[in-house]
Amino acid sequence: MFFTGDINGKRILLHACCGPCSLGAIDPLLSDGADITLYFYDPCIIDGEFERRLEAMKTVAEHYALPLIVPTHDRSNYVKYASQHALEREGGERCSLCFSDRLTDSAKYAAAHGFDMYATTLTVSPHKNAERIFSIAQGLDFGAPFLPRDFKKRDGFLRSTRLSRELGIYRQKFCGCEYSLTAAQAQNAVSGGGV
């Protein structure tokens, strides 16, 4: 279920995958008059990495004076479904299941707490397929519609990198799960870089 109307004055639960990507989504929503609450629900992110990203997220929330909701970080359900797709490349079915998990939780929270809609910062990344994310969200109906915005458009990703540097926040080099970390480490070993 999509929301396609004017968002001025509307309460939006913004699922935030990380601080940097949030920086690519917040300004466009604020400029359209939205009332934003950040929702840092990311069970895929490995321990240690989660805490680093949470600190960055807190900096972003403070910078914009936005409320930040952080549900309990419980990876158990993620590990169950993701481990069945451990050998897949980044962007496969494992990622779709992860998107669905995060969008479903966000949709339920938005509906239960009276938000007009929800959106996600996942579309800021050029590595994430916005159409796939929209397709997953369109199939969810828990009472709060999804705002289908591809935040990478109109220089959203560029804005996120620039503002991350300005705020001095941690900018990760992998998606957050153990599978993307392994892939990033292998890629960097080939290129001589580091994660």
Side-chain angles (χ1 to χ4, degrees):
M1 179 169 61
F2 284 169
F3 183 90
T4 57
D6 183 6
I7 65 170
N8 186 37
K10 302 290 187 185
R11 293 182 64 227
I12 296 179
L13 184 73
L14 180 60
H15 165 258
C17 60
C18 65
C21 286
S22 298
L23 292 169
I26 292 171
D27 283 331
L29 292 174
L30 289 177
S31 67
D32 286 344
D35 176 7
I36 303 168
T37 295
L38 300 169
Y39 190 64
F40 189 61
Y41 174 74
D42 298 291
C44 60
I45 300 174
I46 57 176
D47 294 334
E49 182 69 16
F50 181 85
E51 289 73 19
R52 291 178 79 183
R53 293 186 192 198
L54 177 56
E55 285 309 307
M57 199 68 244
K58 288 177 180 177
T59 300
V60 170
E62 289 172 16
H63 177 75
Y64 286 98
L66 295 174
L68 172 63
I69 298 164
V70 184
T72 301
H73 183 58
D74 179 0
R75 299 190 74 240
S76 58
N77 187 50
Y78 168 78
V79 169
K80 284 178 191 171
Y81 67 74
S83 63
Q84 297 173 34
H85 302 276
L87 300 178
E88 290 180 5
R89 295 181 61 167
E90 189 86 13
E93 181 63 17
R94 182 182 64 246
C95 295
S96 291
L97 292 169
C98 186
F99 297 158
S100 181
D101 182 2
R102 293 190 270 179
L103 291 170
T104 297
D105 192 84
S106 300
K108 288 178 178 179
Y109 190 94
H113 294 86
F115 286 88
D116 296 306
M117 69 198 75
Y118 71 104
T120 184
T121 64
L122 287 166
T123 64
V124 170
S125 171
H127 305 290
K128 303 288 187 282
N129 183 316
E131 292 306 316
R132 183 189 305 179
I133 292 166
F134 296 164
S135 176
I136 292 167
Q138 190 170 31
L140 302 177
D141 187 3
F142 296 101
F146 178 75
L147 180 66
R149 291 265 179 107
D150 187 348
F151 291 112
K152 76 177 72 52
K153 292 186 176 178
R154 289 184 266 154
D155 294 326
F157 181 71
L158 184 62
R159 179 174 46 255
S160 76
T161 57
R162 180 180 50 81
L163 290 172
S164 294
R165 283 192 299 273
E166 288 177 14
L167 291 177
I169 64 170
Y170 169 63
R171 186 165 179 76
Q172 66 276 0
K173 296 182 180 180
F174 69 106
C175 179
C177 68
E178 55 268 41
Y179 309 106
S180 63
L181 176 59
T182 301
Q185 288 169 333
Q187 178 65 31
N188 285 323
V190 170
S191 65
V195 176

